Amino acid sequence: MKNKLILLITLFFLIGFCSAKTYSPLILDWSSPLKSDDIYPLDLDKDGMNELYVASYTKRNSCIYFFDYDGNNIRRNCIPAYSNHMYPHANEDITLIYVSDLKNDGILDVIAASKIIGTGVNVKKLYMIKREYVAGLNRYNYDRKWDYTLKKQIMDVKAIDLDKDGSEEIIAASLDFNVYVFSQDGGLRNKYGVEGSVWSIEASDLDRDGDFEIVAGSFSGVSLLENGEITWNYKTKERVFDVYTGDVDGDGNSEILALSDDDTVHLLDMNGRLIWKKTIDRLVDSLIKDLNDDGVTDTILLKRDKIYSIDKDGNLQWVYNFNDILLTISVDNNNNIFVGSQDKLYKFRINPDYFLNEDAKRFYAEAHSYYLQVEYPKARIYANKSKQLFLELGNLEEALKCDSILIATEPDTTNESKRKKADEYYAKALEFMDLTSYEEARNYAEMALNLYWEINDKNSSLKCDLLIADIDKGTREAKRNRATEYYTTAREFLSNNLFENASVYVLNALQIYQELNDTTGISDSESLMQEIKLGEKIYNAGSFYSLAVKSLSSGDYENATIYAERAKDTYTELNDSEKITECDSLIDTCDRYVKADSYFNLAMEHYRKSYLENATIYAERAKDTYTELNDSERIERCDFLLSEIERIKRETLLNYLLIGIPIVAAIILVAYLRIWKPRK
C-alpha cells in the first residue's frame, strides 16, 4: 500500500500539479459582424453542401445575406418596398423574411411580410417572391409573384406540405388572431381563428400518423390546429412568443415546447397536457435536437446572453455564455449550430471532449459517493469507468484521482489499516494544500475524514474538519486570484483589439466573481464587458469603412455598399454623426456608380442591337451621372460611345443618301418621261 501511494505522489509531481482541465460544450468556428435576425441553412444547388441565408432587418433595408460554411459573405440582396407605387407617401418596412426552395427546383423562394404606415395608411402585406437572375445587370432581382393584404402584422411563417400533394403550403401567423394557410399561387386554403394574437407557429406530425398538425403560440396560450379545426387549447397567463416541437423524452411522440413572457418554459404532450414548467428568465428562442449524437434529445433554450441546455425533465445540462444580445438560433442536419445576435452571426459545433469529460466527472462523483458510503465494490466500478474516460481524454491528473479511490477501496478491513490509510490521506491533503492544489487536497481530506469516522477517532475527525475549512478558504482565495488573472488578461487582449479572446476571459472572470459573490469584481467585469463591446464596435466600424473605400476604388460597388451600411449601422448606435455622414456619402457614391454603370450597360446593349436612339439616351444618362461623380475616365468612355453612335448615324445617313439619290433621280426621270411622252 505504501509503495502504491508513493508512486501516486511521484506521478502527481511529474504532471506539475496543474489545475483540472476544463472543456467548453461548443467550439466557435467563426463569427461575422452582422445583425442576424433569422438564419436558414439550405442546400439550394443540391451539391451536398449547405449555404447559409441570413435575414437582417434594419430601418433602411431588410436584406438576405449569403454565407458559405467557412464564414465568407458571398453577396446580399435586399427586399424592395413593393407597395411604394401604391402608397407613395407612406413608409414600407419589411419585418419578416422566410427563405426556402418551395418547389425543389433550385430557385430560392422568399416569403416576406411588411407594414406600410403613413398618414391615413396602415396596411400589412404578405408577399411571395422569387429570386431571378438578370444577366444584363449581372445581379439577382426579387420579383413579387403575389401579395395578400391583412388587417394586422404577420409575426411568423413556415412552409410544409400539409396535404401531401408534393407542394408545400405557406402557413402564416398574424396578430389579427388568425393562422392562414396559403397555396404557392397565393390562394387561401384555410384560416384558423384563435383567441389571441398569434406570435409563433410550428408544423409537425406530433403523433406520427402521417398527418401534419399546426401548433400556434398566441397571447392566450398554445393551440393545436388540424383539419380546419382547433383540437385543443392550453391557457397561459402571458403571451406565448415561441413554440417548437420534438421528441423530448424519446417515447416516439413529439412534445411541444412553449416560451411565455412570464419567463416560463412549458412542456406539453401532444394532447395539450402539461408535463412540466420551469421558470427561466430572458428567454429568446428554442430548438429540440440530439446535438451530440448520443441518442438523447437535447432541449436548447436561447437566452438574451447565453445558450442554455436542459434535459427531458427541465434540469440544466450546460451553459455557453455570450457578451452579446442574442436573437435567434438554428441548427442544420449535421449539428452545426448558428446563433444570430444584435451584432454578430456565429457558427459553432459541438465539442465531443466536453461531453466525454462530463461523463467521466459523473462516474467519478458516483465512485466518490459510494466510497463515502463504504460501498467499495460499487465505488471501484465507477472509478474504473471514470479512469478509462479520463485516460481517453489524455487527462492524467483526473485519472490519478480515480486511482486514489481504487487504492483506497482495496480489500483491507482492519482498524489499524484504516487508520494508516487515513493518516496517509491526511498527510497527502496537507501536501496538496501546500502546493495550492485545493481540489486534490479536499478529496484526500474527505477520504481521511471518512476513515477516521469509521474507526471512531473524533480528534482526528475534528482535525480533518478544520483542514477542510482551511482548504475551502484557500480555494476561495485561489478562485479570486484566478479571476484577477482572467480580468487582467482580458484587458491585455482588449488593448490588442483581440475582442473575442477578451470576451472569453472577462466572462470567465465574471463567472468566478459571481460564485464568490464579489460585488466589486462583478461590477468591474461587467464594465469591462461594455468596454470590450464598445471597442469592438468602433474597431469593426472602422474596418468596414476601410473595406468600403477599398471596394469602391476597385469598382466592387455592391460590397462597398454592404460594408458602408454595416459601418453606418454601428456609427448610428455610437451616435457619431460625422462618421454617419461619411458613410452616407460613400453609399450615395456607390448607388450612383451602380446606376451609371447600369445606364452604360444598357447603352452598350442597345448599341450592339443597333437601337441607336435608345443607346444615345442611356449613354447620355450615364455620362450625366459620371459627370456628377467627376469620373473623367468613365466620362471619356461615354463620350467615345456617343461619338461612335454619331459616327454610325452619319454613315447610315450617308448610305441612305448614296442609295436614295439615284433612286429619287430615277423616279423623277420616269415621271418626267411620262409627262413629256409624245402624243400619237
Side-chain angles (χ1 to χ4, degrees), residues 292-330:
N292 59 322
D293 294 321
D294 63 351
V296 178
T297 303
D298 305 293
T299 300
I300 303 299
L301 304 175
L302 193 70
K303 300 179 65 174
R304 295 291 284 178
D305 60 350
K306 62 189 66 178
I307 299 176
Y308 203 81
S309 173
I310 58 176
D311 64 17
K312 64 183 181 65
D313 298 315
N315 301 312
L316 176 64
Q317 296 188 116
W318 54 264
V319 174
Y320 189 93
N321 293 304
F322 290 80
N323 182 19
D324 209 343
I325 300 174
L326 306 183
L327 302 174
T328 187
I329 187 168
S330 181

Side-chain angles (χ1 to χ4, degrees), residues 9-240:
I9 294 171
T10 303
L11 287 172
F12 274 118
F13 273 107
L14 288 174
I15 63 173
F17 296 98
C18 60
S19 59
K21 290 184 179 180
T22 58
Y23 303 88
S24 171
L26 302 178
I27 298 171
L28 176 63
D29 285 335
W30 51 260
S31 66
S32 179
L34 170 69
K35 178 177 179 286
S36 307
D37 293 275
D38 290 303
I39 304 169
Y40 304 97
L42 295 172
D43 182 12
L44 193 64
D45 54 11
K46 306 297 185 292
D47 64 350
M49 299 290 291
N50 277 353
E51 305 84 43
L52 204 59
Y53 300 83
V54 181
S56 182
Y57 312 129
T58 66
K59 290 181 179 179
R60 293 190 312 281
N61 287 312
S62 292
C63 305
I64 304 171
Y65 291 79
F66 304 80
F67 289 83
D68 64 21
Y69 263 40
D70 293 323
N72 300 307
N73 186 356
I74 301 169
R75 62 180 175 276
R76 151 198 103 149
N77 285 115
C78 295
I79 304 300
Y82 289 104
S83 295
N84 279 357
H85 65 287
M86 298 174 60
Y87 309 98
H89 303 297
N91 293 321
E92 180 173 21
D93 293 326
I94 302 296
T95 58
L96 184 145
I97 297 172
Y98 177 90
V99 302
S100 184
D101 180 5
L102 298 178
K103 295 183 180 296
N104 200 32
D105 56 4
I107 298 174
L108 187 69
D109 300 296
V110 180
I111 303 156
S114 77
K115 58 181 180 181
I116 307 162
I117 298 175
T119 305
V121 176
N122 189 352
V123 176
K124 309 300 183 295
K125 288 280 190 179
L126 180 70
Y127 296 110
M128 175 65 187
I129 305 163
K130 265 207 172 303
R131 183 181 71 162
E132 296 182 352
Y133 185 70
V134 183
L137 300 179
N138 192 30
R139 68 183 184 206
Y140 286 94
N141 275 351
Y142 279 65
D143 293 331
R144 178 180 61 87
K145 298 304 178 184
W146 55 262
D147 65 72
Y148 189 90
T149 302
L150 303 105
K151 294 180 179 178
K152 291 192 176 181
Q153 191 171 335
I154 292 291
M155 300 307 299
D156 195 11
V157 166
K158 295 291 188 297
I160 198 163
D161 186 2
L162 289 173
D163 55 11
K164 293 175 286 188
D165 64 349
S167 178
E168 291 186 345
E169 282 73 45
I170 299 159
I171 313 166
S174 173
L175 296 182
D176 66 5
F177 292 36
N178 289 303
V179 175
Y180 297 85
V181 181
F182 298 94
S183 61
Q184 290 189 26
D185 61 5
L188 181 62
R189 292 280 189 88
N190 214 329
K191 184 168 78 169
Y192 296 89
V194 298
E195 295 180 5
S197 298
V198 188
W199 294 82
S200 179
I201 49 175
E202 185 75 10
S204 176
D205 182 6
L206 295 176
D207 52 8
R208 309 292 171 89
D209 65 351
D211 294 324
F212 285 99
E213 296 82 36
I214 300 172
V215 179
S218 70
F219 199 84
S220 62
V222 182
S223 302
L224 187 72
L225 319 174
E226 59 178 329
N227 300 323
E229 298 179 352
I230 299 176
T231 303
W232 53 255
N233 292 303
Y234 170 82
K235 300 289 186 180
T236 56
K237 295 179 180 178
E238 298 287 344
R239 171 186 72 121
V240 172

Side-chain angles (χ1 to χ4, degrees), residues 547-557 559-560 586 589-590 593:
L547 287 168
V549 172
K550 183 178 179 181
S551 298
L552 174 61
S553 64
S554 65
D556 185 0
Y557 306 120
N559 277 327
L586 198 152
T589 300
C590 290
Y593 267 113

Side-chain angles (χ1 to χ4, degrees), residues 426-554:
Y426 183 82
K428 279 182 65 62
L430 290 173
E431 290 175 10
F432 281 119
M433 185 176 176
D434 290 339
L435 293 164
T436 65
S437 297
Y438 296 110
E439 187 177 351
E440 290 81 2
R442 201 178 204 288
N443 179 49
Y444 280 102
E446 285 181 347
M447 290 194 295
L449 177 62
N450 184 58
L451 288 173
Y452 285 133
W453 273 110
E454 284 186 35
I455 62 175
N456 199 27
D457 187 340
K458 295 180 180 179
N459 289 332
S460 295
S461 298
L462 178 60
K463 182 174 64 173
C464 282
D465 282 331
L466 294 173
L467 177 58
I468 289 171
D470 289 339
I471 291 169
D472 290 343
K473 181 180 178 181
T475 300
R476 287 192 296 274
E477 190 59 33
K479 284 185 175 181
R480 193 180 307 279
N481 292 337
R482 190 159 66 251
T484 302
E485 290 175 6
Y486 284 144
Y487 181 88
T488 303
T489 304
R491 281 217 164 272
E492 290 174 0
F493 280 127
L494 174 59
S495 66
N496 291 299
N497 294 328
L498 298 172
F499 304 106
E500 289 285 352
N501 292 335
S503 295
V504 170
Y505 276 89
V506 74
L507 284 171
N508 287 337
L510 177 62
Q511 185 175 354
I512 295 173
Y513 284 131
Q514 287 172 338
E515 289 175 13
L516 297 171
N517 198 26
D518 184 332
T519 54
T520 302
I522 292 170
S523 177
D524 288 345
S525 297
E526 289 177 343
S527 296
L528 180 54
M529 285 170 64
Q530 294 306 313
E531 280 186 57
I532 293 167
K533 196 166 187 179
L534 178 62
E536 185 175 19
K537 284 183 177 180
I538 295 171
Y539 180 84
N540 284 336
S543 297
F544 281 134
Y545 187 80
S546 297
L547 287 168
V549 172
K550 183 178 179 181
S551 298
L552 174 61
S553 64
S554 65

Side-chain angles (χ1 to χ4, degrees), residues 345-365:
L345 168 68
Y346 301 88
K347 177 178 179 287
F348 294 96
R349 54 192 162 88
I350 287 293
N351 182 5
D353 287 351
Y354 171 84
F355 295 96
L356 202 62
N357 187 62
E358 289 299 299
D359 286 340
K361 285 163 58 179
R362 179 167 50 83
F363 288 145
Y364 178 80

Side-chain angles (χ1 to χ4, degrees), residues 234 237 262 264-267 274-279 313:
Y234 170 82
K237 295 179 180 178
D262 56 353
T264 302
V265 182
H266 311 256
L267 186 69
L274 179 67
I275 299 172
W276 54 254
K277 62 181 178 179
K278 302 279 183 177
T279 300
D313 298 315

